[in-house]
Every structure is written in C-alpha cells, then in structure tokens.
C-alpha cells in the first residue's frame, strides 16, 4: 500500500516519522519531489497541495485532509472524484475547546485590563459579573462547535448556537438558518465563529454582522473570537467596528492572509489578540494514528467516516 | 431584628443597599460608628473587623463571614462563643472555577509566549501539547476545590487532588494527608492552591514544597496558582524558585500583604501574573440574599449550614 504525503508550509519530517511509527510497512511518497510511480499510489494525506496535483494520481482511492477544514481541497478545479475525508479527532476537538474556553474567559474576566493594572502596579476592586451574566454565541454547531458549547455551558455561561440545520444540545439555546440569525446575533455578547469556509460563509464576519451583535451586555460591547477560517472575516470591517463601537475586542487565530502580514494593524491593536493559527494544532502522531486506523478499516470493510459533501462544502 | 455590618477596606454602601434590597425591614447598624445600642444586635455580617469588636455585642447569635475564608475571625482572641458561618454560594464557587480554569489554560496554552510573539509580530508554528498531557494538582478539595477539579477534568486535564481527609471525586485522582503529599506533588505540573488559612497551612507554599513538584512535564517546569490565602505563600521563596528553576511561572491572586506593596518584585516579574484578589468576588446582592435566607431559616428552625469548626480552622 502506497501513500502520498502532500503538504505545503509544514515540516514534512514530523509527518513521515509519524506514519513510520503508526504503520511501519507503509510505502510513503513525499510530494512534490518523491512521488515515484504515481500509478500505484492508493491514498493521499493532504494539506494545501497545489491545485491539479491530486489529479496526477490515477489509482487514488481516498484523500484525507490533515486538518479539520477541507476548503483547500474543494477549491481545486481538478479535484479527483474520490471520497474526501476530514480529520475528526477527539484530540483536535479537545484542543479547539481549550482555546475557545480560554479566550472566552479572558474576555469575560477582563484579563487585558488586569494585565494593564499589573503593569501600572495598580491594586483596586474590580467590578466583575458572573459567567451566568454573559451570553456566548457559537456560529457552527458541528463536532467542534457542539463540544465548545457544552463545555462553556458547564462552566456557567449562557450559551446559544447557530447552524444551518437545527440542532439540539443540552443546555444550549439553538438557532438555525437565515430566519433566526438576527435573534441569535442580537442576544450574543461574545461571538465564537467555528463555521467552515464555503461560498455561503465567505466574508460573513463583516460590518453588517457586527452591527447586529448585542451592545447591552456587561462587557460594554460585543467581542469576536474567530477560530474558523480567515476567509470568513473582513479584516478592514473588524478594524472599523473596533473604532465605531460595534466590537469591543477581538481574538483572532485565523486571517485572510497567513502568515498575517507584518503591516497588518491587527498585530498592534490594543484590543486585538492575535495567535498564529494554533487553536487546534493536533500532533502528527495522533492525526496519523487515526488516519492509518481508518485506512486499515476501509481496506477491510470499504467503510469511511467523516466523508465531506462537496456540494455542502464540509 | 438588628444586624451589624462590620467590614474593613470595603465600600460599605453597596452592602447596606444589598441588605435593604434583600430584607427591607432589617435594622442595619454599620460598624464602627453607627452600631447604636449594641445590646440588641442579633447577627453580625463581618469581613476583617478589628479583633475584640465582636465581643462588644452581648446578644449576638451568629457571625456570618462575608467571604469564603474565616481566618480573619478565628484569629480574634476575643471571638464570642457563637456559631461562625462561612459563605458557600454557588455563584462564588462558579467564579472561583472560572478563574482557576482560565489561568490553568493560559499556562497550558503558553499565552504569555504568544503575547510576546504578538508584540514582536512573530508568526511561527507552536509546539503545543494537549490538556491530557498535563497534570493539574489541586490542594484543598472543599466545595471550591472539588468544583474546579471536576471542571478541569471535563476539559481534558489529568487532575489530581490533595486534602487532609480522603475524598472521592469522579475522574480525579485523590491523595490525602501527610503520607501521600510527596506522591501528589511529584506528579503535579500545575499546582492550584485552594487551602484555607490555618495554623497548619500557613507558609505551606515554600521552597521545600516547590522543590518537590514535577519538573518533567511539557511546560518545562512547575507552575503555581494561589487563589487560597496570601498567608499560605512565602513570597521570597516563590521569587527564588522562579530563579532556581523549581517554578517556571506563577499566578497569584492573594498576597502576604494586601494591597501588594508597590516595591514587591512580583508586580514586574515577567513570569508572574498578579491579580488584586479578584478570583471569586461575588456581588453583594448574591451573598446578602443567601445570608438573609439563612437567617430567616435559622429564626424559624434553629438550623444553620456551613458552620465553621474553630479547632479545624475551616
């Protein structure tokens, strides 16, 4: 069984080692220079390969995306007609929820103000509301969104969620579709975006949306946390909303251009927290172990999990 | 029914308003200047009154501490022989867990390194372990410690707890007493202290303890988070441990002297986070509502909850 490892912008050796550790008998071919005989490659493990490259593998059975998103594959006009499988790893879900909980808490508990107080050696009483006074709205209630929503509710927040189709999650007020979007936004103090990148969601985090968020919450304004995809956000609109009061602060892990360009004003904005797309970096060993187990099962039974619907886009 | 409000260092008007809102018929006497006729005061709501002052109230039935700790009362050599009741409010428990979860996550997810990267406009891959790779040890498994332990376990951390007497908490490895203290510390990467202040615990967070914490965890050293009492920690030992490697970082909400003196090196230490005793500030309305309901029940049935054992100290 031969497998093509096709990643861009990542350190490839960690992935090769992970494959050799999980399944020592695997014939690993590393794109772009060492694919060897392309006619006998069965599987591709891919992260942002150049468009048109997957088409070069005529015997391909399945493409595994090495991250939760698959927009990098679905935008390939020459995508071969084989199943595309997303990574859905409990480890990655746990990490994403860690990030979401941490940054929701940092906004809720006014950590940036307390950081300033520490720099000023300023000791004072702090007016602090409880988690149960704050409404956190999650856009996107797939595996990642639902897990974060459940955990935030358990910590004490009032959690609401919005998705395309209606979901039921214990302790979470669920909204669905365009008809309930306004209600969802109007009662949201902290907006967490975990939507996939599709034609419908591109640029959804824009001035019009920010204007519809709640302004009457204890934070004195709305907060945006985007851990979905950079293409969902309009960064000039985020900067404008931070000035006109539609946003009070933002935490961004993803950007329209990554790495975030040096000249972006987001880097040094006092009310913006920038992290370099680290929210849910699972380690190669965990991801590869999961994929190799899935390949073994597919070879035995023909069954696949977490197959992407190319029309829906996720 | 007359009630003495005896607080020091707090804004008294918020508390008077809260009492008037919760029980308008109450005769509120404000210490030190407006106690009126001390012979008909039934209850005291106290936070750090001067020692000897409670003794001046001959008809006192119960003293309610306005915070979770009661060390400020038990150290009074003239403490009257009436029941001392601690605040145990779900709201306060929730707030304490919010703080503990936030600061455990900030250390785990290397937020201070990411803050530095943002200041430097530095975009890079981050080596990040999962919550399940990290061992969080909670000292003190009362209502507050048990709640934080449960929630940290649910987020994915490996949680262990230590207390005087043995406890059983789902998903938490529990240690008890002096005999198991070394085992507890030796497997702890992040130590969270929620112990009460008693003769036994005073100064327990010292050089000898720091030396026994795990050094082989993914953080590259041990972390201290103290949300108990300032008297539990030896601040010169914390500073020394940050230098000799026994501690990698610390988050402190409480201090040996509060407000933390301007000249303390803790304020500006790059690996110390200082917050001004804000971890679990419940709002006066919530606390007073709980106490007034307890007084009403005590007058009717003679029953009290959360009575302190003066010998044990909590």
């Amino acid at each position: 069984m031969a497998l093509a490892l096709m990643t861009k912008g990542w350190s490839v050796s960690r992935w090769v080692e992970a494959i050799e550790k999980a399944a020592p008998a695997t014939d690993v071919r590393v794109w772009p220079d060492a694919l060897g005989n392309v006619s006998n490659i069965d599987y591709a493990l891919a992260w942002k390969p150049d468009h048109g490259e997957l088409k070069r593998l005529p015997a391909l059975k399945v493409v595994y995306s090495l991250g939760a998103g698959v927009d990098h594959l679905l935008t390939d006009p020459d995508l071969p007609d084989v199943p595309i499988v997303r990574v859905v790893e409990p480890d990655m879900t746990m990490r994403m929820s860690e990030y979401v909980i941490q940054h929701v808490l940092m906004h809720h508990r006014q950590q940036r103000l307390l950081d300033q107080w520490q720099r000023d050696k300023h000791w004072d009483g702090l007016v602090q509301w409880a988690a149960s006074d704050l409404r956190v709205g999650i856009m996107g209630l797939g595996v990642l969104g639902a897990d974060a929503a459940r955990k935030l509710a358990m910590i004490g927040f009032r959690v609401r969620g919005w998705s395309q189709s209606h979901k039921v999650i214990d302790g979470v007020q669920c909204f669905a579709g365009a008809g309930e979007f306004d209600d969802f936004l109007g009662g949201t103090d902290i907006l967490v975006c975990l939507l996939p990148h599709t034609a419908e969601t591109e640029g959804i985090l824009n001035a019009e949306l920010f204007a519809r968020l709640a302004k009457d919450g204890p934070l004195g304004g709305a907060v945006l946390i985007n851990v979905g995809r950079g293409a969902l956000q309009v960064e000039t609109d985020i900067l404008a909303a931070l000035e006109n009061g539609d946003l009070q602060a933002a935490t961004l892990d993803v950007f329209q251009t990554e790495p975030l360009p040096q000249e972006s004003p987001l880097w040094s904005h006092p009310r913006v927290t920038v992290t370099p797309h680290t929210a849910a970096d699972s380690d190669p060993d965990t991801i590869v172990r999961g994929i190799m187990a899935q390949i073994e099962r597919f070879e035995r039974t023909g069954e696949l999990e977490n197959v992407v619907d190319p029309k829906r886009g996720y």
Side-chain angles (χ1 to χ4, degrees), chain A residues 8-205:
Chain A
K8 201 159 180 179
W10 285 4
S11 155
V12 78
S13 60
R14 287 172 70 204
W15 291 88
V16 173
E17 278 168 32
I19 296 167
E20 283 168 353
K21 206 190 309 183
T26 312
D27 175 8
V28 187
R29 319 275 183 85
V30 180
W31 178 79
D33 296 328
L35 283 181
N37 177 5
V38 294
S39 72
N40 65 2
I41 291 178
D42 304 284
Y43 302 98
L45 274 56
W47 185 251
K48 300 190 177 174
D50 289 344
H51 288 173
E53 287 297 299
L54 286 163
K55 196 178 68 170
R56 292 177 52 207
L57 314 180
L60 202 58
K61 298 177 191 164
V62 183
V63 179
Y64 291 89
S65 172
L66 289 174
V70 290
D71 41 340
H72 61 108
L73 297 171
L74 297 186
T75 47
D76 183 348
D78 294 317
L79 189 67
D81 185 23
V82 300
I84 310 291
V85 172
R86 296 184 296 139
V87 175
V88 178
E89 268 297 320
D91 179 81
M92 188 182 280
T93 306
M94 176 177 71
R95 286 167 186 249
M96 183 60 90
S97 292
E98 293 170 16
Y99 185 99
V100 170
I101 293 167
Q102 180 197 324
H103 288 280
V104 166
L105 281 169
M106 284 177 69
H107 288 289
H108 159 52
R109 297 290 299 229
Q110 309 172 74
Q111 187 56 46
R112 296 315 190 185
L113 174 64
L114 289 169
D115 286 347
Q116 186 60 52
W117 284 14
Q118 180 172 354
R119 283 192 294 272
D120 297 343
K121 304 187 183 184
H122 176 71
W123 182 285
D124 210 341
L126 180 74
V127 175
Q128 180 61 59
W129 49 91
S132 53
D133 297 322
L134 208 67
R135 299 160 298 181
V136 182
I138 315 247
M139 286 171 81
L141 294 174
V143 173
L144 298 175
D147 188 72
R150 261 186 226 104
K151 288 174 176 171
L152 287 166
M154 182 273 320
I155 289 169
F157 291 100
R158 285 154 63 189
V159 183
R160 39 178 51 212
W162 180 83
S163 51
Q164 274 301 329
S165 57
H166 198 75
K167 304 284 172 73
V168 176
I169 304 172
D170 243 23
V172 177
Q173 189 182 3
C174 292
F175 298 77
E180 295 175 20
F181 199 38
D182 255 353
D183 279 352
F184 166 74
L185 294 173
T188 291
D189 298 310
I190 297 184
L191 181 70
V192 178
C193 179
L194 273 161
L195 290 171
H197 173 207
T198 68
E200 284 73 41
T201 63
E202 185 154 329
I204 194 171
L205 301 171

